[in-house]
Each structure stands twice: as C-alpha cells, then as structure tokens.
Amino acid sequence: MQGLADFRVVDFSSGIAGSYCTKLLADAGADVVKVEPAQGDPLRRWSASGADPGAQDGALFRFLHQNKRSVTGLPDDDAILELVASADLVVEGFRCGEIDPAAWCDRFPGLVVLSITPFGRGGPWDGRPATEFTIQAGCGSIGTRGLAGQEPFQAGGRTTEWVGGTFASVAALAALHRARRSGHGEQVDFSLHEVMTIAGTNYMDLVSRVLGVGPPAEGPLPATVETPSIETTRDGYVGFCTNTPQQFSDFLVMIERTDLADDADLAFIAGRTARYDEWTAIVRTWTETKTTAEVIELASLLRIPVAPICNGETVQQHEQLVARGVFREDPTGSFVHPRPPYRIDDREAPAFRPAPRLGEHDGRIESRTPSRAVPHGAAELPLAGVRILDLTAWWAGPSATHMLAALGADVVHVESTRRPDGMRMVGGMFASLHSEWWEASHFFLAANANKRGLAIDLTDPRGIEAMERLIRRSDAVFDNFTPRVLDGFGLTWERIHELNPGAIFVRMPAFGLSGPWRDNTGFAQTMEQLTGLAWLTGHRDDQPRIQRGPCDPLSGMHAAFAFLVALQERATRGRGVHVECTMVEGALNAAAEQLVEFSAYGNLLEREGNRSPGAAPQGLYACRGHDPTTSPRWLALSVEDERQWRALVEVLGRPAWATESALDGRAGRRAAHDALDAKLSSWLSTREREEALKVLLDAGVPAAPVADPRACSEDPQMSARGFYETSDHPVLGSLPVPTVPFRYASVERWMRAPAPTLGQHNHEVLREVAGMDDDTIAALAQAGVIGTRPDGA
C-alpha cells in the first residue's frame, strides 16, 4: 500500500488531538516529523495511572508516535523553517499570537497549515484557557448526560481529543488532496469546541428548532441516561441498545415481558426515562438471573445490539477482536495496542516503527521540494468532481458521507420507501407537529446536508439494475450495514469492481467482514460498551454509563479518512480499491489509552466521574441560585498545571489552606481532591456563576458553565465563526444547522443544500447519472420502485 508515501507532515502539536491526527497520517505512509522544544513534548512523561515510565517514554506517547521522526527546535529557527518549506502539511496548536499560520501559507505557496485549538482562531473566545473538561461543559455535552436531579457527568477518556484528531485528519488530508492536484494550499482552522458540539450533544439545539420552541434560556438541563443500556447480570454487566421499534419489541420478548408491549409509555425512550426506576427493576429482574455470556447469546439470536462491558484488561480477550487479530505489540515489545481501524484490499499496514527518541533525527531530515502544481484557477472544494453513492443509514455512515459532501463530493444518499434510513424515521417523535414527520429528524437533517436523495427499492430487480447503472458512473460506494445486507442484493466487491474497475468500495460494518461477530448488529452505544469508553464514563459510585454519541461520528471520520487514503491509492494503482473500516476498531483506537496503560504497567483505569488524571482540582461546582431540578447553575473548573493552580489560589485570596506545600504538584492535589472540592464548593456557592466565570478566566484558570445543549447555536464563539449555517428546508423552513468543525480560509460557506426529502432527487439522479429516459423513470415510479413517501405513511 503506497497511501500517503509522497507527503511530508511537520507536526508542532502536543497532546492527543494533534498526535492522533498525525498518527493516522503516519500509519498511512506519510513522513511525519515531530518538532519539539528542547524539553520535549510533556506527553513523553505521561501516564494516566501515574506509572513511572523510567528511562523510556510513556506508553501512550509511544503508541501515538510510532512511524514518526523527531527533531528539536522552535518555529522561527532557520532549520525548522527549512523543514516547514519542505512540508506538504504543517500541524500546530500554538496559543493565540505565538505564530501566524496565514503568514506561513503566504510564504510557502501550496502549503496546508492545520491549526488545532480549543475554540479555533478568531472570535471572542480565542485564547480562552480551556481543558478537555471545560470544553465538554461549555459546548453542552456534559449537560446531555446524567440521572434526573443529579450531577451530570463528562464523557470519560478524553474523548474530545480523540474524536478531534480524527476529524482533523480528514480536514487536513482533503486539503492536501486539492493542493497536490491544483497547487492551492489552505489554512485549516480547527475547533475542538465545535467537534464536541457535533459528537456530544445529539443535535439538541436542532431538536428545539424542529419543535418550534427555540433555544431555552432557563430550565433544567436535558441530561438523561439511555435505557435499556448497561444492566447488571449475575456476574457483571451487559450492554444493550434498542434504537428501533423492532429491537425494543424483541427486547421485551427476550426478558419475557411481552405483556408490556401495549404500554405506550415504555415504547419510547422518554417514557422509559420518566419511569426509570420502575423500568430498570423490570429489566434487572431478568438480567440478574443470567450470566453476561448467556444474555449475549440470547440477544444475538434476536439481533438485539448487545456487548459485554469491557475495560483495558478484558477487552484483550474479546473473541471478535482476537479472531480478527486486532491487537498489535509495540515494536519495543512492552505493551499492546490496536491496529489502525481500516484495511485496504484486506492488507495489513506496514510494520510499525518505534516512536522516536527526543531529537533522534536532528540534522538527519532529508532536504525536499514539495511536489505541487502551479496554482491555477479558483480554489474549488477539495472533492469537486467526485461522486459517491451513499448506501448508509443511521449516523455513522451518513456522517462520513456528510463530511465528504461538505468537502465538495456529489453524494447521492440511497434509501427506499419500504425501508427509509432508520435515522430519518426518528422523526416519528415529531409526528404531532409535522404531517410529514419523516422529514423532521434532527439527526437526519444534520448528517445529510449537501446530499441528493434517491429512494429506490433494491429488492426489485429493476431497482438493482438502476443501482448498477449508477455504480458504473460513480467514484465510490459507501455501506454500513451488516455484511449480509449488500451481499444479499448481489452488490459484492467483486460485482462492483466488475461494473466499475475504478470504483472505491468503503464498507463500514460494526464488527468487520470476518470473525464470529461478523453478522451482529452494532450501534455507537455498542461500541462504547465493548471497547471501554463506557467503563470510564460515569460517577465513581455508580455503574459504567455510555457516552451517547461520539462513536458514530468517530466511525464516520475514520471511514472518510480511509476513503481519502484510498483516493491516493487509486491514483497510484490506476484501479479501484476495497476499504473495510470497522466501527469497533475505530472506537478501540479512541479507547487505546486503557489498553496501553494496562498492558504497559498493569494498571486498570477506572471511572472518576468529573475528575481526570490530568487535572486537579477538577469538577462541577454549584453556584448561587443552583437548583438541579429547575435552575441548574453548574460551573466546570479544571486545573492542569502549576501556573493555573497559582492563579486559582490568587483568585481565592490566598487562603492558608491553599498555600500548603502538600498541594504543590498535581499528585498532591489529586490526593487532597475531596477536601479541595469542599473548599471550592463553599466558595462558589455564594457567587453568581457568570461573575465567578469571568474572574477565573481573566486569571487564566480554565472554567466554563455547563451549557444548555439546546442553545448551542446562540454560543457567541460559534456565531462568530459561522459554525451554524441557515438551511432552507422545503418542509421545515429555515433552520440553523451545524456544519463542520473547521474553517478553510478559501471557503465562505459549507452549506450548499439542506438534507434531501425522501426521494427528492429520484428523477434528477436517474436521468443525469444513470442515463435513464423520462418514460423509464415514470414506469419505475408507477411500479413503486421509486417513491417519495414511506410505505404506509
């Protein structure tokens, strides 16, 4: 696999987001040169469990920096500027004012500069102190997650950074694709705050708009937990999700409570949430009589999404992951990690090279002149001229093709009137407000903008014939069903390659195309349960809880990245390629720190609620007027380093307890966390939240309100950056819809068209792309092979 072998990346970033972004590029063959200050990236000494890595660098650093090289220097050093001049891509995350990315783009025409920062560059929050925790709070993610009347909680495991690195890799590689073709470089301004708005809020702002109530200024947060979800068994925990009415009906069969089938409340998640204690007791009366293995066997037979609740130790024994050979040993032989989450033509990635020692390649980087075309013409969107058939459903697959559509691809989203996209049918919750309720799903509206819609019945031979005509005229086909679905239609890789030798086939099965779980159904919740992400989410005195969402766009961005690598591969080989990008292996990469930490040091990471290994003190604190049921006033505060701690002490007025030497260093403060929480709770309980927030931020202490996720579009930073753009939908009218979490300097607006209504572009696509005449298309409509309303609606 040649992949990205012709690209050089210069990486100034530190932390997980930039490191994972460039790891994906390095694993695909790019020459990644990490530039570090003389003291090195702090991640070199990091261990989430506090383990001493000894003479070696920390295991997480070594995982993230395999296949890279390291030099030391500063951005304005002559040698480093020469390195920048040799690069195709520069990745940086400097604080506001430390460098000027636009100046680099001007100085080195054709260069792509990716800036990964908490809030993006520009806007009122540029330069605001932030941590993973305060980003989750400030974007509304924490406000979605919790039990009624109790303290909400973060998504564990630094999810924002892992998801952010995946999104950033797509933003950068798409710009590289265009730069190599047209000579036009790009300044990519990337916001972690916007990433978690997408991945962690379930588009609740858009729900409010569809409901016609607008973003609320007051009232309780919409924090809930899903149910059925993680439940206790005779020997541990098991995880479910029931995203469709059929899955819930089958769940009632499994727990032997079909008598509840006519209970209108329990048929919907809102009703089960309102009767949470009663419903949970019903479920656990059954699950606690079975072992986890017994429950998984029964649920799998009924095709109910199910998984064990794994952690950094037990995930290594999961039969599907073992059968597929997912785990790899670090080149030093000192820990285990997951392989990259995609495969091209069923080939393994090249052998991993060990992470570099600090400055190992000083003076040893070869001179190079980037291979760029002379800039010509207007700077088109990177994927202009690329056509994709999108045979995906729900959120993971559509999120991949949504990103590619935003980047310029002509994406045709394929469903049918007999079986519309499952995420479209979530619009049923708005049936009392909208007669065409299947057009009202907030998830569908957000994840399918800029696409065309085709509703065609693939169970009819005429539908298959039309689909094969479309495949002949497309660059790629995307699919995220279980393998048996497209195989049953005869749309195998062999058939697609026969129809169109240049086509790229991207398959996104939950568990992969092989292994004992090959045909199991899986959703984002399943991945969080199985890979360990749920293990780290939830309060310390509570059970594991799912994160509720991030694994869908995470899976989607891994697939979008793999597609962009496949485009380069196709250009090299002169033929199409087959891409397998499994949902579970993408989630496992985002959960890799648990696996790495346990296999390297024998330490099992555990839930910490709203605390984190990298910060102390950290938590949610109630401010004046707080009432968790009617008027929550949570303030998130997070102190990562000594400078921030000293600033907090000054804000507190230098009380004697805060100046004790035992609190010097994060380890000391973590040991005293309960006492610190009590002091901070007392101090904040007498202060207005906005007043306390301003004082803390002005002093350089990371803090944020726990924002209401239903009001994201009114966020002043996102408004300044234009993250939400107006969509003029033919059924729902004008709506603010989130776009992508980065700005291209060359792109004024990402939204070109709203999500399509069901079958909106049937005639247009079949005539323009498939080459059918009007009479043939009319006959298909008359026969019900194509249509514009769900059957029975």
Side-chain angles (χ1 to χ4, degrees):
M1 184 175 74
Q2 295 298 311
L4 308 183
D6 290 339
F7 291 95
R8 174 172 287 178
V9 179
V10 175
D11 181 11
F12 290 93
S13 70
S14 61
I16 289 173
S19 297
Y20 188 57
C21 169
T22 54
K23 172 182 167 53
L24 287 167
L25 295 164
D27 289 346
D31 174 24
V32 176
V33 182
K34 183 174 178 64
V35 181
E36 303 178 70
Q39 64 271 28
D41 185 339
L43 200 58
R44 285 184 179 271
R45 306 307 302 163
W46 170 255
S47 162
S49 64
D52 182 358
Q56 293 184 308
D57 292 313
L60 182 64
F61 178 90
R62 285 183 280 152
F63 167 63
L64 287 169
H65 293 87
Q66 294 169 346
N67 298 323
K68 301 179 185 179
R69 300 194 280 178
S70 168
V71 299
T72 55
L74 299 174
D76 55 359
D77 291 348
D78 289 343
I80 300 303
L81 284 173
E82 288 180 13
L83 187 60
V84 170
S86 77
D88 298 285
L89 168 68
V90 170
V91 180
E92 62 88 15
F94 291 107
R95 282 196 286 264
C96 177
E98 289 187 310
I99 69 158
D100 183 355
W104 275 355
C105 289
D106 291 341
R107 182 172 177 179
F108 307 111
L111 178 67
V112 176
V113 179
L114 168 66
S115 301
I116 304 175
T117 58
F119 302 107
R121 300 205 178 277
W125 294 1
D126 188 0
R128 172 179 282 197
T131 68
E132 159 93 23
F133 183 64
T134 63
I135 289 171
Q136 286 198 34
C139 75
S141 173
I142 289 178
T144 69
R145 206 177 294 107
L147 292 165
Q150 298 185 24
E151 179 183 320
F153 49 86
Q154 66 178 325
R158 293 196 276 184
T159 295
T160 303
E161 291 207 58
W162 290 100
V163 178
T166 313
F167 270 84
S169 71
V170 177
L173 187 50
L176 284 173
H177 177 77
R178 183 184 67 186
R180 181 60 60 90
R181 185 181 71 251
S182 72
H184 288 286
E186 189 61 81
Q187 183 183 350
V188 186
D189 178 7
F190 191 91
S191 165
L192 292 170
H193 179 58
E194 292 168 6
V195 162
M196 207 55 182
T197 303
I198 294 170
T201 68
N202 290 309
Y203 300 124
M204 284 192 179
D205 182 284
L206 197 48
V207 172
S208 296
R209 302 293 183 149
V210 173
L211 288 170
V213 298
E218 298 292 338
L221 293 169
T224 59
V225 296
E226 215 167 279
T227 179
S229 181
I230 297 175
E231 312 296 345
T232 50
T233 65
R234 203 166 73 207
D235 58 353
Y237 295 107
V238 69
F240 308 101
C241 70
T242 53
N243 289 349
T244 69
Q246 185 63 56
Q247 287 166 355
F248 183 69
S249 175
D250 291 340
F251 184 83
L252 293 179
V253 171
M254 183 183 70
I255 66 170
E256 301 168 21
R257 291 302 306 267
T258 53
D259 58 298
L260 299 175
D262 295 328
D263 190 319
D265 281 349
L266 297 183
F268 297 96
I269 181 65
R272 298 194 292 274
T273 299
R275 294 163 59 183
Y276 181 79
D277 290 341
E278 174 195 355
W279 166 249
T280 300
I282 290 169
V283 172
R284 294 186 177 179
T285 296
W286 184 84
T287 61
E288 289 177 354
T289 67
K290 307 285 191 299
T291 67
T292 298
E294 289 169 343
V295 174
I296 288 173
E297 181 179 9
L298 289 168
S300 297
L301 287 172
L302 291 169
R303 301 197 59 74
I304 300 166
V306 66
I309 309 306
C310 294
N311 55 38
E313 177 183 16
T314 58
V315 73
Q316 297 179 65
Q317 285 82 53
H318 190 271
E319 61 176 341
Q320 176 68 7
L321 303 177
V322 171
R324 284 179 54 81
V326 168
F327 301 109
R328 295 286 182 271
E329 194 171 79
D330 178 71
T332 64
S334 53
F335 64 89
V336 173
H337 62 82
R339 69 184 180 190
Y342 66 91
R343 296 161 67 83
I344 291 181
D345 287 344
D346 202 27
R347 296 181 184 177
E348 289 294 326
F352 298 106
R353 301 191 310 273
R357 300 183 303 277
L358 177 62
E360 180 178 343
H361 301 95
D362 281 343
R364 298 171 54 194
I365 305 298
E366 308 83 3
S367 62
R368 173 182 182 272
T369 300
S371 174
R372 301 186 187 119
V374 175
H376 57 277
E380 292 185 312
L381 289 169
L383 298 181
V386 174
R387 179 174 294 128
I388 296 170
L389 291 180
D390 175 14
L391 278 68
T392 70
W394 295 95
W395 191 13
S399 72
T401 50
H402 169 253
M403 175 62 75
L404 300 174
L407 291 166
D410 173 18
V411 176
V412 178
H413 185 64
V414 181
E415 44 190 330
S416 75
T417 59
R418 292 185 58 190
R419 188 168 182 171
D421 184 336
M423 198 60 92
R424 181 188 286 282
M425 304 309 279
V426 170
M429 64 190 288
F430 305 109
S432 63
L433 298 173
H434 298 285
S435 59
E436 295 179 63
W437 51 263
W438 57 91
E439 305 297 352
S441 165
H442 52 295
F443 276 101
F444 190 90
L445 292 169
N448 292 283
N450 295 321
K451 301 178 186 179
R452 296 195 280 179
L454 172 65
I456 189 163
D457 184 2
L458 297 184
T459 66
D460 189 297
R462 291 166 291 184
I464 291 294
E465 180 187 358
M467 182 55 53
E468 291 190 344
R469 292 171 70 109
L470 293 171
I471 290 170
R472 289 189 179 97
R473 295 166 173 82
S474 298
D475 293 281
V477 178
F478 273 68
D479 149 56
N480 73 332
F481 294 98
T482 55
R484 63 189 181 87
V485 175
L486 253 63
D487 291 352
F489 292 135
L491 296 177
T492 62
W493 163 236
E494 291 75 17
R495 179 58 177 159
I496 289 172
H497 191 60
E498 177 186 355
L499 292 166
N500 183 348
I504 296 168
F505 189 21
V506 180
R507 306 202 71 175
M508 300 173 60
F511 297 104
L513 300 175
S514 62
W517 283 44
R518 174 186 186 271
D519 292 320
N520 282 34
T521 303
F523 289 84
Q525 302 98 313
T526 321
M527 306 307 132
E528 293 163 13
Q529 292 157 359
L530 192 152
T531 61
L533 291 170
W535 181 260
L536 291 187
T537 300
H539 291 298
R540 289 175 296 167
D541 58 354
D542 189 22
Q543 66 176 64
R545 299 286 182 183
I546 60 170
Q547 298 180 330
R548 300 189 69 189
C551 280
D552 273 318
L554 178 79
S555 173
M557 291 315 105
H558 278 128
F561 178 83
F563 169 72
L564 293 171
V565 174
L567 275 181
Q568 299 296 324
E569 193 74 13
R570 181 176 72 170
T572 300
R573 298 188 194 181
R575 63 172 179 80
V577 295
H578 178 271
V579 178
E580 178 195 20
C581 188
T582 70
M583 199 174 189
V584 70
E585 292 177 42
L588 188 63
N589 271 265
E593 186 166 21
Q594 296 180 71
L595 171 62
V596 167
E597 194 76 19
F598 184 83
S599 59
Y601 309 119
N603 295 332
L604 185 65
L605 300 183
E606 301 279 3
R607 289 179 299 289
E608 292 198 65
N610 285 319
R611 297 178 183 177
S612 296
Q618 176 176 290
L620 299 185
Y621 304 94
C623 294
R624 179 186 293 169
H626 173 80
D627 185 321
T629 59
T630 61
S631 184
R633 293 286 187 273
W634 295 110
L635 183 141
L637 183 148
S638 178
V639 172
E640 285 190 326
D641 58 36
E642 297 313 293
R643 181 185 57 81
Q644 293 169 358
W645 170 245
R646 290 192 296 270
L648 177 60
V649 171
E650 292 299 324
V651 168
L652 295 172
R654 294 187 59 78
W657 62 264
T659 60
E660 295 175 2
S661 60
L663 299 180
D664 292 341
R666 187 170 58 238
R669 293 192 294 276
R670 275 177 62 78
H673 215 308
D674 289 346
L676 288 175
D677 278 350
K679 297 290 188 182
L680 289 168
S681 294
S682 176
W683 185 76
L684 283 162
S685 66
T686 63
R687 286 166 171 77
E688 295 293 337
R689 184 170 66 178
E690 294 308 311
E691 166 203 323
L693 180 65
K694 185 177 188 309
V695 170
L696 290 165
L697 292 174
D698 287 349
V701 179
V706 174
D708 190 327
R710 296 166 295 187
C712 292
S713 61
E714 295 197 339
D715 180 310
Q717 179 68 9
M718 291 194 230
S719 295
R721 286 173 52 79
F723 173 62
Y724 281 82
E725 295 181 10
T726 301
S727 165
D728 293 318
H729 192 270
V731 173
L732 301 173
S734 180
L735 294 168
V737 176
T739 55
V740 295
F742 52 88
R743 305 288 98 185
Y744 275 13
S746 65
V747 176
E748 183 176 345
R749 179 178 169 84
W750 293 111
M751 180 78 70
R752 302 184 302 282
T757 58
L758 183 63
Q760 179 179 349
H761 302 100
N762 287 344
H763 189 278
E764 176 183 312
V765 168
L766 293 177
R767 183 177 178 83
E768 173 191 318
V769 183
M772 294 182 171
D773 60 44
D774 292 345
D775 290 343
T776 301
I777 297 170
L780 291 176
Q782 180 67 30
V785 178
I786 58 175
T788 57
R789 292 178 67 89
D791 289 0

